[in-house]
Amino acid sequence: MNKFAGLFIVISSFMAAQQKMSLLECEEAFQKNNLQLLAEQYNINMADADILQAKIWELPQLSGQINAYNPQDRKFFDAGHAKGAQVTQLIYMGGKKKNEIAFAKSNKELAQFQFSQLLVDLRSQLRSTYFELYYEQLKLENTNKQLGYMNDLLAAYRIQSAKGNVSLKDQVRLQSIVIQLNNDKVEINKNILEFEQTLKVLTGITEDIDPQLSDTEAKEILAAQPFGDETELQKKALENNADYQYNLRLIDNSRLYAQWQKSLNVPDLNLGAGWDQNGGTFKNEVNLLVGIPLPLWKSNKGNMEKANFAIQQNQRNADFQKLTLETKVEAAYKTWKTRYEQLAEIKPADMNNMEMVYNGMLSNFRKGNISLIEFTDFIDSYRETALQIYDMKNRIIQAAEQLNQLVQTKIFY
C-alpha cells in the first residue's frame, strides 16, 4: 500500500466518523438515548411504588396459646384440653392512610417537576452546544481559507527572501499573520472537540456530529421574535418554569406531610376475635377483641412541629425562587436585546462590502497596487472582525436559548 492509499483510508475513516444531523434529529436522539433522562425517569417510577405502598394496610396478626402445664392432671403441654387462638387487625383512625396516600401522590408530582426541569436544562444545553459547534465550524472554515492564501504567500516570500529579492522583515511580518491564524485555528479546534464531546454525551451518538443548518435557517433564528416585553416574559416564566412550580408544589407537599403527622396522634384501633377452648367462662368461648392506646400525650408532637417549620421554610424558598426567576428573565431579556441591537447595526450590505474589500485587497496585492504593510494590517483587522461577527451571532442565540430555558414557553425558533 502506498502512502497516498493510506492517506485516503485515513481521510475516509475520518469522514465516516462524522454524522450530519439537524437540530431536530439531535433532539430526537437526545430524548431517546440520554442516560441522565433515563435515570431520572426511575424517580417517577419509584414514586408510583411509594403510592402503591401507602395504600397497603398492616397484615392481620394471628396468635395462639396452648397449655404449658396442667397442674390438675400434672401433665405438660396438655393441648387436648387447653388451647386458644386470636386474630387481630390494626384499624387506622384519623385519616392516616388517606393522608399518607395524598403525601405519596404529592411526592410523585414533585418527581415529575424535577424530571421536567432536567429535560429543559439538558435540552437547552444540547441546543446551545449545537449552535456553538455550528459557529465554531464557520470560524474554522473562514480561518482555513485565510491560512491557505497566507501560507502560499509566505512560501513565496521565503523563496524570494532567500534570493534577496524581498527583505527578511517582510517575511517575518507575513510569518506573524500566519502564526496568529494558526493560534486561532488551534483554539477553534479545541472548542470544536469540546462541543463534539458534549453532544456525544447528550445524544448518545458515538460519531462526531456535523450540524446541518442552512444560511436561511440561521438568518431566521437571528431574526427578531414576536413576543412582548420583559413583564410578559416574567409572567410566562412564573406560569411555566418547572423549577419554580416545583418550589410552589413543595409548599403543598409540606402541608400534606404536616396533616399526615397530625393524624398520627390519633390512636389506632386493634380489632379482632379470639377463641378459647377451656380458659374462659364458657367452653369453646369466642370473644370480640378491642384494643386502643390511651392518648395521655401527643406521641408525634415533635414531628408535627418540624413539619410546620418546613411549611414556613418552603414558603420562604418559593418567594426567593420567584424573585430569582423574575430577575433572571429580566437580565436575559436585556442581554438578548442588547446583543440583537448590536448585530442589527451591521447591515447585510456592510458584510458584503467587507468581503468585497477582502477580495479586492487580495487582488490588488497580487498586482502590486498596495504595500505589504497595508495588506498585512488589513488582513489582521479582517481576521479579528470575522471572528467577532461569528461570536456576535452565536451570543444572540445563546441569550435567546437562556430565555427559552427560563420561560419554558417557545419564544425563539
Side-chain angles (χ1 to χ4, degrees), residues 294-398:
L294 297 177
L296 301 179
W297 57 81
K298 292 183 178 180
S299 60
N300 206 39
K301 185 176 180 180
N303 285 336
M304 284 178 56
E305 289 190 9
K306 181 179 177 181
N308 288 327
F309 286 133
I311 295 174
Q312 299 175 49
Q313 181 187 50
N314 290 329
Q315 181 64 62
R316 298 296 179 273
N317 284 335
D319 293 341
F320 171 76
Q321 290 296 330
K322 180 176 183 291
L323 178 61
T324 301
L325 180 57
E326 289 174 335
T327 304
K328 285 183 176 180
V329 170
E330 179 185 10
Y333 173 76
K334 289 180 178 178
T335 299
W336 172 84
K337 187 176 181 182
T338 300
R339 291 175 177 175
Y340 177 79
E341 290 174 348
Q342 181 187 21
L343 183 64
E345 292 177 0
I346 304 174
K347 306 301 179 185
D350 298 331
M351 301 292 294
N352 293 333
N353 291 339
M354 191 172 77
E355 290 302 315
M356 286 176 59
V357 172
Y358 174 77
N359 293 326
M361 290 293 286
L362 293 182
S363 176
N364 280 299
F365 182 71
R366 291 191 190 102
K367 296 175 182 177
N369 295 333
I370 58 174
S371 68
L372 179 65
I373 295 178
E374 290 179 291
F375 177 72
T376 53
D377 285 346
F378 172 80
I379 289 296
D380 191 46
S381 176
Y382 174 84
R383 177 188 66 83
E384 292 182 3
T385 303
L387 296 180
Q388 287 172 358
I389 289 174
Y390 287 128
D391 286 337
M392 287 171 63
K393 291 180 179 180
N394 181 41
R395 284 195 293 265
I396 290 175
I397 292 180
Q398 299 305 321

Side-chain angles (χ1 to χ4, degrees), residues 223-237:
Q225 304 296 322
F227 58 82
D229 57 14
E230 59 194 70
T231 303
E232 183 180 344
L233 291 176
Q234 287 173 334
K235 181 181 177 182
K236 288 182 178 179

Side-chain angles (χ1 to χ4, degrees), residues 188-231:
I188 292 169
N189 277 322
K190 176 184 171 225
N191 293 336
I192 287 176
L193 179 61
E194 178 184 336
F195 297 140
E196 286 175 342
Q197 296 306 307
T198 301
L199 285 179
K200 286 180 182 180
V201 173
L202 290 170
T203 62
I205 294 174
T206 56
E207 294 85 5
D208 291 335
I209 293 174
D210 182 14
Q212 295 301 291
L213 193 67
S214 68
D215 292 339
T216 302
E217 290 173 321
K219 289 178 181 178
E220 289 176 354
I221 292 170
L222 290 169
Q225 304 296 322
F227 58 82
D229 57 14
E230 59 194 70
T231 303

